[in-house]
Amino acid sequence: MSQAALAGPEMVPPLRLDLEIQPGPASLWGQPTWTLHDPAANRFFRVGTREVEILRSWRPGPVATVAEQAHTQATPVTETHVLELREFLSRNNLLRDTPDRAIPRFLRVQAAKRGLRHLLRTYLFFRIHLFQPDAFLSSLAQRTGVLFTPGFALIALGFTFLSLFLLLRQWDMFLATVPEFLNSRGALLSLVSLFGAKIFHELAHGLAAKRFGLRVTSMGVAVLLLWPVLYTNVNQSWKLNDSRQRLIIDGAGIAAELLLAAVAGFAWLLLDPGPLRDICFVLAVTSWIMSLAVNLNPLMRFDGYYLLSDLLGVDNLMERGQALLHWHVSEWLTGAGDAPPERLPGPTQSVVLVHAVCTRIYRLTLALSIAALVYALAFKALGVFLAVHQLWSSLGAPLLREIRRIWKRRQELGFRPMIRGSVFLAVVLLVLCWPWNTTIATRAMLTAAQTAHLHAPFDGVLTRVPAQEPVPTRMVHKGDALFRVHSPELEQHIRVAEIRESSTRHMSELLSMDQTMLRQRLTREAESREQRANLDGLLQRREKADIRAPLSGRLELPAQAWRTGIFVAEGTYLGTVLDTTRQRIVAYVDELELSRISPGGSARLYPYRPESRPVDCVIRSIDATAATVLETAAFASVHGGDVPARQGPKGRLILQGSAYRVVLEPISPCPTERQYFGRLEIQGQRSALIQRIIQKVRGLLTREFGI
C-alpha cells in the first residue's frame, strides 16, 4: 500500500452506482473469488472474500466504521485492508468523485491522450473501434449452433489431418509453387486472402462468445507494429467461471483459421491451374502461417496469450507477471524482505516469471527492430529517436525509478543495496569490457583468382563455337579462338561505308586538279576523312567478331549447348574462362569487425560441400571503402547470406549498412572444378562489447549528423 493512502484522510468516498459483482471461478488455491465489472470501461477485476465483505459494508464515512461492519471471525478486516481497497478502487476509477474532482481528473486523462508522449506509448499497439456486432452475431449464432457440437469438432479435426496428410504427400510441389507468388500479384493475393481469413477468425471468436451467452461489445481494427489487424472484444468471457468455456472462446479463431487452411489446401489439390487455385494456395499458406506463427504467440496479447492465461488460471497474466518480476529484481538488489505482490503455486509462479522475462525481452527486441526498420527504409533521424526512446522506457526509466525508491528507503535498507548494486554493476562492466570473441564468421566464396566473362559483341549468328568437351578437360590457352559472330547487318554497313569512302576520296582527287575549285575540294577532303573514320570504326568492330581466350584456364559454358547457326543478341553471355592455377576467397566483413582484422591475418574456410575439406587461407587485401552494391547475390541477406541488402532498381542488390570486401588466398593450392561457398572463420583480435557499441554509435553519428 502506498504512503499517500496511509497519510490521507481516513474516510471512504461512495462507490460508483453502475458497478456489478458476481461469483467468479475458484482461485489457484481453491478459494472462492468474485468478478467486479466496470461497465463504463468494460473491464473486469477478480477480488477475494475479504474484498467482497468490505464492498458489501461500503458506506461513505470513516474507514473504521467500514472495517468494523465488514469484520467477521472467518474474515478479519482491519482499517489497513479498507485503505488498500480504497487505493485500488481510486486507481481504477471505480469511486464516485464530486464534480470539482471528477472534471479536473477527466481533463488530465484527456490531456494525457494527446501529444508526443502518448504517441510514443501507443504507436506499437492501439485500437480503432468500428461497430457493435452483437445483434448481427446473435442472429448468426442461431443458425450456426452445429459448429459447436462435438460431432462437428471431430469431423473438422479429421478433415484437417486428412488435408495435411495429402499436402505432405505433395509437399515438394506445394513448396515449388511459393516462388510463383513472390511478385506484386502474389502480394495483392496475400493481402486479400489475409483479410478474408482474419474476418473468418474474428467471427469465430464472436460466435463462440455468443454461444455462452456473452455480449460482444465491439469489433474494429488494431494497429500492431504499424500493421492493421482485425479484433473482436470478447473480454466479457471473464464472466464465465468454467475455464473450458473460456478456452473455447480463446481458441475459436485459431481453430476456424486452421479449418479454413485445411479446406483451401484440399481445394488446391483438386482444382486445375487457374486463378481460383492460386487463391486457395495463398489462403492456405497465409492461414497456416498466421495461425501458428502469429496467433499462438504468447508474448503479445494474441490468442496464444489468452490461451496460456486460462490454462494457468492466472488472469491478467502480463501485469501480474511483470509485478512479480519487479518484486524479485527489487528483492535481489535490496534484500528488503518486502512481501510479494501475491503468492502463486510453485510451478505456476515459475511459468509466470519466465513469461514475464520473455515478454520484456521480446517487446524490447521488437521495438528496436521497428526503429532499425524505420532507420533503414524511411526517416533515419526518427529511427534513432525511436531506438533511444525504447531503450530509455524499457531500461533507463525503470532503473531510475528503482534507484529513487531505494534512495528514499536508504536509512531502512542500510548498505545492502549498495553492496548488491555494486556487485551487479561489476558484473555488467565485466560483460561489457571483457574481450570476448576472437573469431569472425561470415559467408565466403572460393573462386578462381582471375575470371573473364565472354559476351557477344553485337547481334549476329554464331559461325564458330568451341568443342563440347567434358568440364574438367575443357581447357584453353590465351589467344585460342573460341567463338565467332557473323553479323550480316554489320557487313552491309561496311560495304556501304567502303563505297562512300571510295567515292568521296576519288571526288577529292579529281577536284585537286582544278585550282579554281579549292572550296569544294576542302569540303570533299573533310567528307573523305569522315567516311574513312566511320569505315575504320566498323572494321574495328568486325575484328571483335573473333572472340579469343583472354587468359589460360578452364572454359565454362552455360547450360544451353552452343552450335553454329544460332542467333545471339548483343551482350549475350557465352561463357567464362577461369584461371585454375590460382584461387581466391571473397567475403564481406561488417564495419564493426574491420578494426580486428588486417592483411596477413589467418582464416579457415569450411565448404558447404560435405566432400570438400577445410581450406586454410590468409588475408591479402581489404577494400578501403565500404561496398555499395553486391555483385554476387548469394552474399545478400535476401538470398540467405550474411550481408544486409535489399533489392534495388534493375535487380541490383543495395547494401543496408557498411560492409567491406575482403580478399583472401589459400595457403596451399586448392584444386576445384568450379566456385563454391562456405563458412569463413577469420582469426581476429579480441574486442570488448562496449568498444563495438561505441564504434557503432560513433559511425552512426558521423554518417547521419557529421559529428
Side-chain angles (χ1 to χ4, degrees):
M1 176 184 165
S2 69
Q3 298 295 327
L6 289 172
E10 296 187 355
M11 301 289 289
V12 293
L15 288 171
R16 281 173 38 193
L17 298 177
D18 59 340
L19 297 181
E20 302 173 2
I21 190 166
Q22 63 182 28
S27 69
L28 294 174
W29 302 100
Q31 299 171 343
T33 66
W34 281 259
T35 301
L36 182 63
H37 180 210
D38 175 8
N42 198 25
R43 293 187 301 172
F44 300 82
F45 306 93
R46 294 272 192 248
V47 294
T49 304
R50 178 181 288 113
E51 288 76 15
V52 170
E53 293 297 333
I54 296 175
L55 290 173
R56 286 173 178 171
S57 305
W58 194 277
R59 300 291 186 278
V63 169
T65 303
V66 176
E68 181 180 355
Q69 293 178 354
H71 179 80
T72 63
Q73 187 174 1
T75 309
V77 176
T78 64
E79 294 183 21
T80 302
H81 295 144
V82 178
L83 290 172
E84 288 177 349
L85 183 58
R86 186 188 69 176
E87 182 184 359
F88 167 78
L89 297 172
S90 176
R91 187 169 60 249
N92 291 281
N93 299 323
L94 302 178
L95 297 175
R96 218 182 335 155
D97 280 336
T98 57
D100 59 330
R101 296 178 57 187
I103 294 176
R105 172 181 290 185
F106 174 79
L107 294 176
R108 286 195 302 270
V109 171
Q110 293 302 313
K113 294 181 179 180
R114 298 189 296 267
L116 180 61
R117 181 174 298 181
H118 176 71
L119 179 62
L120 291 174
R121 285 199 305 265
T122 59
Y123 80 95
L124 289 178
F125 181 80
F126 61 91
R127 290 180 173 182
I128 303 174
H129 169 73
L130 294 181
F131 62 96
Q132 293 182 347
D134 193 70
F136 166 72
L137 290 174
S138 298
S139 175
L140 187 62
Q142 296 175 0
R143 299 174 175 84
T144 56
V146 68
L147 299 179
F148 296 93
T149 59
F152 180 82
L154 290 175
I155 294 174
L157 185 62
F159 181 78
T160 301
F161 278 111
L162 174 63
S163 176
L164 185 59
F165 172 75
L166 294 176
L167 282 176
L168 289 176
R169 289 175 59 89
Q170 301 191 34
W171 192 246
D172 293 339
M173 183 188 303
F174 191 78
L175 289 181
T177 311
V178 174
E180 299 178 9
F181 294 89
L182 300 179
N183 48 40
S184 57
R185 174 177 173 271
L188 180 61
L189 276 177
S190 300
L191 288 176
V192 174
S193 301
L194 185 60
F195 183 74
K198 297 318 291 181
I199 292 178
F200 200 66
H201 179 109
E202 299 305 328
L203 283 176
H205 281 306
L207 287 175
K210 297 303 298 182
R211 174 70 177 176
F212 300 113
L214 302 179
R215 183 169 173 265
V216 181
T217 57
S218 68
M219 292 184 72
V221 176
V223 180
L224 174 66
L225 307 180
L226 308 180
W227 181 263
V229 295
L230 297 176
Y231 81 91
T232 301
N233 190 341
V234 292
N235 62 358
Q236 283 205 353
S237 59
W238 279 51
K239 292 182 175 181
L240 301 174
N241 296 334
D242 188 348
S243 61
R244 184 184 62 87
Q245 294 176 344
R246 294 197 302 272
L247 287 172
I248 290 175
I249 295 175
D250 297 337
I254 295 178
E257 208 162 346
L258 290 178
L259 179 59
L260 180 64
V263 173
F266 193 80
W268 178 82
L269 293 170
L270 299 179
L271 292 172
D272 294 328
L276 185 57
R277 191 171 191 257
D278 293 343
I279 293 175
C280 290
F281 173 81
V282 176
L283 191 60
V285 171
T286 54
S287 297
W288 280 111
I289 293 176
M290 292 300 295
S291 295
L292 300 179
V294 178
N295 290 321
L296 280 178
N297 180 8
L299 303 180
M300 297 289 286
R301 293 185 185 272
F302 296 138
D303 297 343
Y305 166 79
Y306 296 104
L307 284 170
L308 178 62
S309 176
D310 286 328
L311 284 172
L312 294 175
V314 180
D315 303 315
N316 299 317
L317 172 63
M318 192 170 293
E319 291 78 6
R320 295 165 72 177
Q322 294 301 321
L324 277 174
L325 177 63
H326 177 266
W327 176 80
H328 275 278
V329 173
S330 177
E331 282 299 298
W332 185 87
L333 285 174
T334 64
D338 295 334
E342 63 178 320
R343 297 188 183 277
L344 300 173
T348 302
Q349 181 160 315
S350 300
V351 174
V352 171
L353 279 174
V354 171
H355 178 268
V357 172
C358 293
T359 299
R360 182 64 63 91
I361 296 174
Y362 176 79
R363 289 200 163 192
L364 177 61
T365 304
L366 202 60
L368 293 179
S369 300
I370 293 174
L373 185 65
V374 173
Y375 173 81
L377 300 180
F379 191 15
K380 299 187 181 299
L382 177 60
V384 175
F385 175 75
L386 291 178
V388 173
H389 171 263
Q390 287 301 326
L391 286 173
W392 169 253
S393 60
S394 300
L395 299 176
L399 182 61
L400 183 61
R401 286 195 298 268
E402 190 64 22
I403 292 174
R404 288 176 176 174
R405 190 182 68 85
I406 294 174
W407 178 254
K408 291 180 180 179
R409 302 177 61 186
R410 60 188 181 277
Q411 294 181 350
E412 172 191 349
L413 299 175
F415 291 99
R416 286 173 298 181
M418 184 178 298
I419 296 173
R420 298 191 181 191
S422 300
V423 172
F424 176 73
L425 182 61
V427 172
V428 172
L429 290 177
L430 180 64
V431 171
L432 291 176
C433 300
W434 182 266
W436 289 100
N437 56 333
T438 59
T439 302
I440 303 169
T442 184
R443 173 175 286 199
M445 177 181 67
L446 186 143
T447 185
Q450 285 187 316
T451 59
H453 301 292
L454 310 177
H455 299 273
F458 42 74
D459 298 345
V461 179
L462 291 176
T463 58
R464 181 174 62 235
V465 296
Q468 297 293 326
E469 300 175 358
V471 173
T473 60
R474 195 184 292 155
M475 305 300 294
V476 297
H477 297 87
K478 184 177 181 178
D480 287 353
L482 302 178
F483 296 92
R484 180 176 178 81
V485 181
H486 174 72
S487 173
E489 184 180 1
L490 177 60
E491 295 298 329
Q492 179 67 23
H493 287 323
I494 291 176
R495 287 195 293 271
V496 172
E498 287 176 343
I499 294 173
R500 289 178 177 175
E501 190 275 335
S502 176
S503 174
T504 54
R505 178 165 47 81
H506 287 339
M507 183 63 68
S508 176
E509 291 175 355
L510 291 175
L511 292 175
S512 64
M513 300 177 183
D514 189 348
Q515 298 298 327
T516 61
M517 302 185 70
L518 179 61
R519 180 177 298 177
Q520 290 85 344
R521 179 166 60 89
L522 294 176
T523 302
R524 292 298 180 180
E525 288 178 353
E527 292 179 358
S528 178
R529 289 193 297 270
E530 182 180 351
Q531 293 296 334
R532 186 68 221 179
N534 182 42
L535 177 61
D536 291 342
L538 293 173
L539 293 174
Q540 291 176 2
R541 191 176 184 190
R542 185 171 64 179
E543 291 177 358
K544 298 179 181 179
D546 285 318
I547 302 173
R548 300 180 177 274
L551 52 92
S552 299
R554 186 181 67 250
L555 174 64
E556 288 192 350
L557 299 175
Q560 68 267 32
W562 295 122
R563 63 179 184 273
T564 57
I566 294 179
F567 176 84
V568 291
E570 181 179 354
T572 300
Y573 171 72
L574 301 176
T576 302
V577 180
L578 297 91
D579 181 4
T580 55
T581 59
R582 293 185 301 118
Q583 294 84 27
R584 67 172 182 170
I585 299 170
V586 179
Y588 288 86
V589 174
D590 189 81
E591 181 182 19
L592 289 177
E593 312 289 358
L594 199 62
S595 60
R596 301 175 54 204
I597 62 175
S598 59
S602 60
R604 173 171 288 189
L605 177 68
Y606 295 90
Y608 291 143
R609 307 188 309 179
E611 68 274 10
S612 300
R613 295 181 177 180
V615 179
D616 292 322
C617 48
V618 63
I619 299 175
R620 288 304 180 202
S621 64
I622 303 173
D623 287 358
T625 58
T628 56
V629 178
L630 284 177
E631 298 179 356
T632 306
F635 286 115
S637 57
V638 293
H639 295 287
D642 299 325
V643 182
R646 61 178 176 86
Q647 202 79 26
K650 298 182 179 179
R652 297 196 307 168
L653 294 169
I654 310 299
L655 266 72
Q656 295 293 102
S658 297
Y660 291 75
R661 193 181 68 137
V662 179
V663 179
L664 306 94
E665 181 179 333
I667 296 177
S668 57
C670 179
T672 179
E673 297 179 5
R674 60 186 71 246
Q675 69 181 25
Y676 59 79
F677 290 87
R679 196 71 180 169
L680 181 68
E681 294 186 356
I682 306 174
Q683 295 300 318
Q685 301 176 356
R686 289 181 175 270
S687 67
L689 181 60
I690 188 65
Q691 179 183 358
R692 300 173 66 184
I693 294 175
I694 292 174
Q695 289 177 351
K696 191 69 175 179
V697 172
R698 182 188 302 169
L700 177 65
L701 294 176
T702 302
R703 182 167 58 251
E704 300 301 333
F705 306 105
I707 300 176

